[in-house]
Amino acid sequence: MEKLRAPTVGCTKATCGWRAMLLPQLNRQSLYVYGSEMAVEKECIRQLQSGVFVIHPFSLMRSYYIMCMMAITFLNLIGIPMEIAFLDGNSGMIWEGFNVFSDTLFLIDVALNFRMGIITEDGEEAILDIKRIRVSYLRTWFIPDVIAAFPIGYILLFAVITAVEAENNRLEWFRIRNLTLAVTSKIEQETPDLQYQNEDNPSKTNKMMRILMFVRILSLIRLARVSRLVRFFNEVEKVSNANLEVVRLFFRILSLFMMIFLLCHWNGCIQYFVPMLEEFPTDCWVRKENLMNATVIVKYSWGVFRALSQMIALSYGSMDAPTNYVEMWIVMVSMVSGCLMYTVLVANATTMIANIDPAAKEYKSKMSRLEHYMTFMKLPPELQLRINNYYQARYGGKWFHEKDVMDTVSSALKEQILMVMCSRLLRNVPLFQNKDENFINAVLLKLEYEVFLEGDTIVREHVPGDRMFFIDHGQVLMETDSYERELCDGDFFGETCMLTKGKHLATVKALTDCQCFSLSWADFQEALRGFPDVRKDLEKNLLLNCDGGLV
């Protein structure tokens, strides 16, 4: 298979316009999942050939969208409690407009989730099938998302406009009534009392205020958007370079502290909101501290201070004891939430410290020993760097013993693992096409995994060889004095040496870091012992050239 060039095959803004925003980008994240630039290009082609509107999890649009939604969600989770508790319905048109914008955005998000590609749990594949995306979303987050996206902002905006119109009509009615009575009765001293002669208007005003309060309480349902924030953090963690444990740890700590901050913030708003619902009883803490007419920042500061003091069970003077049963329940809830907060904090901190990737720890230990060895042997810095790069490419920062893993699983599982990893590579070779399935399985068990760095010479021309190579990920250059050819994912070379133990007919160099599987002459002969018919067939076709080139 010939090399696919990004300028000709890839989809850019110049060639595909806005569709390029939906395709996976060539970055560290996509390379970690797919293994090579060629695999990323194949993923782009797969999405383009599907012909449907799907946003790939590794696309540029998805990255911008997640960052935007995280910011909007966090602002909602901060602003909604403050609006309900402290603004007294006087949030202004700017905040109301932001509420309407947020509700619209979350409704659009519900629709877009039916077109969002999904990253599998193991992070090794992106699901782009529309039917699978819809079924997965309907079974998981659809109902919570619809509840959280309920357009309370529209209802609040309508209620505010209605209230303003009702108040204007009431004032206009009083003005006309007062003017009429002043002209007809000529008694100026009765004018101040005229505003209270109507018994219906105050009741209508009170009714409107109760409706507004109910709508404000109903808007608490928007706090269900906290689930969105958790999901966005999980998606960012998946999309981020999972090979870097530091990045994953950073997102875990950040999400933990954001949850703690939101808990303290909500608790502080509740401290003021509950007395407000009771119309500030004489023994409530708000009246004691004379905060009725204070600014929003002063009210909020006292509320958060009171909440934190209760959450850490700190006595601070005049406000340390509740004065009624409502405040008592608030204090108890704050104390319990504080206990839970510290329990979660300590548990997560302990888990992070105790379980910080043992494989990565072992890898660092091995690399430390390797550094001592290279220093003792006085290897040149360039060679030391290549050795370090090899270990990074071979083990990816996590130490493991592949032979131990394969030896501990059953033979059936080992066969299935190798079938998944290498079956497609063997099927590309004419030598193994239309062969007995049992023979293919026997050959799979003989394959050895090897890694070559960029610039490595894998085989040299005119040098005896005894093995064949299958390229899993990466690109190599096969060259002789008369021609050059690039090979990439799924290609192979060295089949002649594996069959005859002869000399290589070309030099093969790695153009990128390459992950390959190799099959030696001895292992191949051992696999042939149980299949005499296959051996005879191969002997008949031994002199025929394979499509991969005789190397």
Side-chain angles (χ1 to χ4, degrees):
M1 183 177 63
E2 298 298 325
K3 177 184 176 183
L4 297 176
R5 308 265 180 195
T8 58
V9 177
C11 185
T12 63
K13 290 184 178 180
T15 58
C16 298
W18 61 271
R19 294 180 63 190
M21 299 284 289
L22 309 179
L23 302 178
Q25 301 297 301
L26 188 61
N27 50 34
R28 297 175 65 187
Q29 293 78 24
S30 59
L31 287 176
Y32 173 76
V33 173
Y34 296 108
S36 67
E37 297 182 15
M38 183 62 60
V40 176
E41 289 183 359
K42 289 182 179 179
E43 182 70 6
C44 293
I45 295 173
R46 180 170 77 96
Q47 183 172 354
L48 287 173
Q49 290 176 345
S50 65
V52 295
F53 175 81
V54 177
I55 302 175
H56 199 281
F58 297 115
S59 65
L60 194 61
M61 180 178 180
R62 183 61 171 166
S63 301
Y64 291 153
Y65 180 79
I66 289 179
M67 290 188 290
C68 176
M69 289 300 297
M70 284 181 62
I72 296 296
T73 304
F74 193 67
L75 288 176
N76 271 263
L77 297 177
I78 293 176
I80 291 171
M82 292 196 67
E83 174 196 8
I84 297 173
F86 300 108
L87 296 183
D88 299 326
N90 300 319
S91 54
M93 292 304 296
I94 295 179
W95 178 254
E96 297 299 338
F98 177 76
N99 281 335
V100 173
F101 170 74
S102 299
D103 290 349
T104 305
L105 193 61
F106 278 98
L107 289 172
I108 294 174
D109 178 67
V110 172
L112 283 180
N113 275 320
F114 288 100
R115 296 284 180 168
M116 288 286 184
I118 302 173
I119 306 174
T120 55
E121 291 297 328
D122 56 8
E124 297 294 334
E125 181 187 3
I127 299 175
L128 303 179
D129 181 67
I130 293 295
K131 185 177 180 180
R132 292 179 63 186
I133 293 173
R134 289 174 179 173
V135 171
S136 176
Y137 183 51
L138 289 173
R139 289 180 177 177
T140 53
W141 290 103
F142 175 70
I143 294 178
D145 285 355
V146 170
I147 294 174
F150 189 76
I152 300 294
Y154 290 96
I155 300 176
L156 286 173
L157 183 62
F158 177 76
V160 169
I161 294 175
T162 304
V164 171
E165 291 180 354
E167 182 66 16
N168 291 336
N169 293 335
R170 188 177 69 86
L171 293 176
E172 182 67 19
W173 183 86
F174 278 128
R175 189 184 68 80
I176 296 175
R177 181 183 176 89
N178 292 342
L179 182 60
T180 303
L181 292 176
V183 172
T184 56
S185 63
K186 304 296 184 180
I187 303 175
E188 296 181 358
Q189 61 272 23
E190 295 182 5
T191 303
D193 297 331
L194 293 176
Q195 296 182 4
Y196 303 95
Q197 291 178 3
N198 185 281
E199 298 179 356
D200 296 332
N201 286 285
S203 64
K204 292 180 179 179
T205 302
N206 292 334
K207 183 178 180 180
M208 181 60 66
M209 293 302 296
R210 287 195 297 269
I211 293 175
L212 286 176
M213 181 58 68
F214 172 75
V215 174
R216 291 171 65 189
I217 296 175
L218 183 63
S219 64
L220 287 172
I221 197 175
R222 291 182 294 175
L223 295 182
R225 294 170 185 175
V226 68
S227 64
R228 296 286 191 89
L229 191 64
V230 176
R231 286 161 53 198
F232 288 140
F233 266 105
N234 290 335
E235 289 191 29
V236 169
E237 184 178 341
K238 284 183 179 181
V239 174
S240 64
N241 187 7
N243 194 31
L244 295 178
E245 185 65 23
V246 177
V247 176
R248 301 177 63 188
L249 186 63
F250 169 77
F251 280 113
R252 290 175 185 174
I253 295 176
L254 180 61
S255 61
L256 178 63
F257 276 95
M258 287 186 70
M259 292 300 106
I260 293 176
F261 169 77
L262 289 176
L263 179 62
C264 298
H265 173 71
W266 291 355
N267 199 341
C269 294
I270 291 174
Q271 296 286 334
Y272 187 88
F273 179 62
V274 174
M276 184 190 68
L277 289 179
E278 297 182 300
E279 298 182 354
F280 303 110
T282 55
D283 58 348
C284 73
W285 71 273
V286 179
R287 284 191 179 274
K288 288 182 179 180
E289 299 299 327
N290 195 23
L291 299 176
M292 300 281 294
N293 299 317
T295 61
V296 173
I297 187 63
V298 173
K299 295 177 183 178
Y300 175 74
S301 300
W302 276 99
V304 173
F305 173 71
R306 181 179 174 87
L308 288 175
S309 300
Q310 293 171 1
M311 293 173 72
I312 62 177
L314 175 66
S315 178
Y316 50 85
S318 62
M319 291 194 295
D320 58 347
T323 57
N324 54 58
Y325 77 96
V326 176
E327 286 192 4
M328 179 180 66
W329 277 103
I330 295 176
V331 172
M332 287 192 296
V333 171
S334 296
M335 289 181 175
V336 172
S337 64
C339 292
L340 293 176
M341 178 186 72
Y342 286 109
T343 301
V344 172
L345 182 61
V346 172
N348 277 271
T350 304
T351 303
M352 290 177 186
I353 294 174
N355 299 326
I356 298 181
D357 202 349
K361 286 184 177 179
E362 188 175 358
Y363 176 80
K364 291 180 181 179
S365 176
K366 297 286 186 181
M367 293 303 296
S368 177
R369 297 174 188 175
L370 179 63
E371 291 288 343
H372 288 302
Y373 169 78
M374 292 189 296
T375 302
F376 179 78
M377 300 302 295
K378 298 180 181 179
L379 299 181
E382 296 80 5
L383 181 57
Q384 293 187 27
L385 179 60
R386 288 189 63 80
I387 294 174
N388 286 326
N389 291 340
Y390 171 81
Y391 273 86
Q392 179 63 34
R394 177 65 177 82
Y395 296 102
K398 310 292 179 68
W399 189 265
F400 55 89
H401 297 278
E402 185 177 3
K403 188 176 184 302
D404 293 344
V405 173
M406 300 302 289
D407 289 342
T408 54
V409 299
S410 65
S411 57
L413 284 177
K414 182 177 180 180
E415 185 176 306
Q416 292 178 25
I417 293 172
L418 292 172
M419 182 72 70
V420 172
M421 296 172 58
C422 313
S423 177
R424 60 181 178 83
L425 299 177
L426 288 182
R427 300 297 182 186
N428 289 338
V429 183
L431 181 67
F432 298 106
Q433 291 176 357
N434 302 321
K435 294 297 186 293
D436 189 348
E437 190 70 25
N438 295 324
F439 171 70
I440 297 297
N441 294 337
V443 173
L444 286 175
L445 296 176
K446 304 297 182 181
L447 295 180
E448 297 289 338
Y449 181 72
E450 297 189 42
V451 172
F452 299 95
L453 298 181
E454 179 182 354
D456 283 352
T457 300
I458 303 175
V459 298
R460 298 182 184 275
E461 188 176 6
H462 305 311
V463 174
D466 67 342
R467 63 184 56 238
M468 176 182 184
F469 294 89
F470 307 86
I471 304 174
D472 187 24
H473 293 298
Q475 297 162 238
V476 301
L477 177 64
M478 184 173 64
E479 58 182 351
T480 64
D481 295 336
S482 58
Y483 80 100
E484 291 183 355
R485 182 183 178 188
E486 290 186 7
L487 305 177
C488 56
D489 299 6
D491 289 332
F492 57 93
F493 57 92
E495 62 274 20
T496 301
C497 291
M498 184 204 56
L499 294 173
T500 64
K501 296 185 67 174
K503 295 182 178 181
H504 288 290
L505 303 179
T507 298
V508 179
K509 294 181 179 179
L511 297 178
T512 64
D513 293 347
C514 295
Q515 303 169 17
C516 303
F517 289 90
S518 64
L519 178 62
S520 67
W521 177 87
D523 290 334
F524 184 62
Q525 293 300 320
E526 184 178 349
L528 283 173
R529 289 176 185 173
F531 302 91
D533 294 339
V534 176
R535 177 186 291 274
K536 291 179 181 180
D537 184 59
L538 289 176
E539 290 175 352
K540 291 179 181 179
N541 299 282
L542 184 60
L543 300 178
L544 297 178
N545 294 338
C546 296
D547 290 344
L550 299 178
V551 184

